[in-house]
Amino acid sequence: MSTHISAVGAGADEAQCPLMPTYGPPQVMFVRGDGSTLWDRDGNEYLDALSGLAVTSLGHSHPAVTAAIAEQAGKLLHVSNLYATEHNGDVARTLDGLMGGGGQVFFANSGAEANECAFKLARRWAGHGRYGVITAMRSFHGRTLATLHATGQPEKHEVFQPLPEGFRHVEFEDVDALDAAIDEWTAAVMVEAIQGEGGVNVPPDGYLRDLRALCDERQILLMVDEVQTGLGRTGDWFAHQHDRIVPDVVTMAKALGNGVPIGACWAKREVAAAFRPGDHATTFGGQPLVTAAAKATLRVMKEIDAPRLAREKGAQLSAALSALEGVASVRGRGLLIAAEIDPDLLGDRPASDVVSAALGVGLVIGPSTKTAVRCAPALTIEATDVDRIATLLGEALGALS
């Protein structure tokens, strides 16, 4: 049995756990990270192919981000958004530049909060009585009550009924169904350019261009949730840029601070102008510590050409996973990849069993669907480690057979 198994059960004493049971029992307690390597409390080493759900895109403990956090922590942590601070303007200008310009940014603490900002902005822009937002089945937009209802996974809704009004869902990639669902109450459409949590579902080329044209024709907003796909992950700065469109609103979060909690909602200036002082706010969003980290993260991402790294290493990882015995198919874009497990090997077991088996051989990956696992390693991962992901996953699949 692998030495890594010794770490399993780190949080096994559930009766004494002081944390609410909103997650399953943790299998490992990680205490240190460097690049794409993690260490547990027993000193076991793991290859991180998930990067904290696509968050640490520059790897763990990146020196530039660490230095920025340390310097800012010694200068100023918080004064509220009633006052100007040092970095938020610079980060907003950089994000606007990556979007092509012409927009403004609201900083939040997470992707869900960035999406909440987008929903409120859509209602404010559309005017009283137009509040509807249409999203896609299998989408994921967050865990607050509004973003939960926006999420197109009805099985997640039932125990929290009633949910806030204003959301309806149509099949992903079905533009005709979306057209039919738009009515006089509709303010906006929100989609993920690639569905991440829903299974790494990549729509066909032209899908977003068709949505752009439809939203223009029906005079509603096109809002794209790039919380997981944004900032280089898919091989361009934003996944919607593969389809060469400009949405009206774009939300982002995970990779922006390389580990510190920050989200952002970008909107075209004419859309953002719908907000007035007092319409929306946050106590911590965009405070000096997180924007210092985001500023350093974005600077490094541009220096290393993060989208190029995602394209090159994503192609390498896709090829390596596709060649594995026990992997039926691979899908995704850049370094956001799902591997569909051979049903003959998986049998009645869920893909989470593969994730546990991978942890046992020192590989951190995540479940994607009941039959697929997800890889979203740091964009800075070494080429040798890309191949090692496939080697370790092969060992994990071998342990299942």
Side-chain angles (χ1 to χ4, degrees):
M1 182 175 290
S2 165
T3 57
H4 294 87
I5 296 299
S6 65
V8 174
D13 190 3
E14 295 177 55
Q16 300 301 316
C17 181
L19 304 177
M20 289 189 185
T22 54
Y23 298 91
Q27 295 180 292
V28 175
M29 179 185 289
F30 289 120
V31 297
R32 187 163 65 92
D34 183 7
S36 292
T37 304
L38 287 166
W39 287 268
D40 68 22
R41 62 178 179 177
D42 296 322
N44 294 310
E45 185 176 308
Y46 298 77
L47 177 58
D48 186 2
L50 194 59
S51 62
L53 297 172
V55 169
T56 52
S57 287
L58 297 181
H60 297 285
S61 305
H62 191 283
V65 181
T66 300
I69 292 172
E71 180 183 356
Q72 189 60 46
K75 291 168 59 179
L76 181 67
L77 281 180
H78 183 77
V79 291
S80 94
N81 286 309
L82 297 174
Y83 308 98
T85 54
E86 189 174 355
H87 306 298
N88 56 5
D90 291 338
V91 176
R93 276 186 286 274
T94 299
L95 294 177
D96 187 45
L98 296 178
M99 280 295 305
Q104 291 177 303
V105 173
F106 175 87
F107 288 113
N109 301 292
S110 67
E113 290 182 52
N115 284 338
E116 289 275 357
C117 175
F119 300 147
K120 288 181 67 178
L121 180 58
R123 291 188 179 199
R124 199 72 168 89
W125 172 83
H128 186 69
R130 290 180 64 200
Y131 57 87
V133 176
I134 302 173
T135 66
M137 295 300 292
R138 295 180 288 160
S139 62
F140 184 85
H141 298 292
R143 296 281 187 174
T144 66
L145 282 177
T147 57
L148 180 64
H149 200 188
T151 292
Q153 301 181 41
E155 68 276 12
K156 289 183 167 63
H157 298 165
E158 287 310 309
V159 297
F160 297 104
Q161 297 287 355
L163 292 168
E165 295 183 15
F167 299 96
R168 63 177 67 173
H169 312 94
V170 300
E171 289 298 327
F172 188 49
E173 304 174 6
D174 191 338
V175 180
D176 291 336
L178 180 57
D179 188 16
I182 295 171
D183 61 20
E184 67 271 30
W185 312 116
T186 305
V189 169
M190 175 176 274
V191 294
E192 296 160 282
I194 297 172
Q195 291 187 332
E197 299 295 324
V200 189
N201 304 310
V202 183
D205 291 344
Y207 170 64
L208 291 177
R209 287 197 297 276
D210 290 343
L211 291 190
R212 176 70 279 178
L214 176 62
C215 289
D216 288 343
E217 178 187 342
R218 303 297 292 269
Q219 298 184 326
I220 60 175
L221 296 180
L222 174 59
M223 308 195 298
V224 178
D225 179 339
E226 295 258 16
V227 167
Q228 183 161 163
T229 54
L231 301 166
R233 171 61 54 186
T234 68
D236 213 331
W237 285 110
F238 294 98
H240 69 263
Q241 291 172 338
H242 293 287
D243 247 10
R244 299 182 300 283
I245 66 152
V246 180
D248 300 301
V249 178
V250 174
T251 57
M252 60 199 83
K254 291 181 180 290
L256 182 52
N258 205 53
V260 300
I262 180 172
C265 177
W266 174 94
K268 292 178 177 175
R269 278 185 175 269
E270 60 269 30
V271 176
F275 270 158
R276 295 289 182 270
D279 280 347
H280 195 55
T282 170
T283 296
F284 293 108
Q287 51 101 289
L289 186 74
V290 297
T291 48
K295 186 175 177 179
T297 299
L298 292 169
R299 184 181 72 247
V300 174
M301 281 187 163
K302 294 175 86 169
E303 288 172 354
I304 64 175
D305 193 353
R308 175 184 61 80
L309 294 179
R311 290 192 299 272
E312 293 176 356
K313 294 172 183 176
Q316 180 187 351
L317 181 57
S318 291
L321 294 177
S322 297
L324 268 185
E325 187 175 349
V327 171
S329 62
V330 172
R331 59 179 178 271
R333 177 171 269 169
L335 274 174
L336 180 59
I337 296 172
E340 197 72 34
I341 307 303
D342 187 330
D344 291 336
L345 173 64
L346 202 57
D348 295 331
R349 293 170 293 198
S352 56
D353 282 10
V354 178
V355 173
S356 295
L359 202 58
V361 299
L363 175 65
V364 179
I365 55 176
S368 180
T369 65
K370 291 180 180 178
T371 58
V373 297
R374 176 175 39 162
C375 294
L379 310 187
T380 53
I381 189 171
E382 298 291 339
T384 52
D385 283 338
V386 172
D387 290 335
R388 202 153 64 89
I389 292 173
T391 300
L392 291 172
L393 180 58
E395 290 181 22
L397 294 174
L400 287 180
S401 60

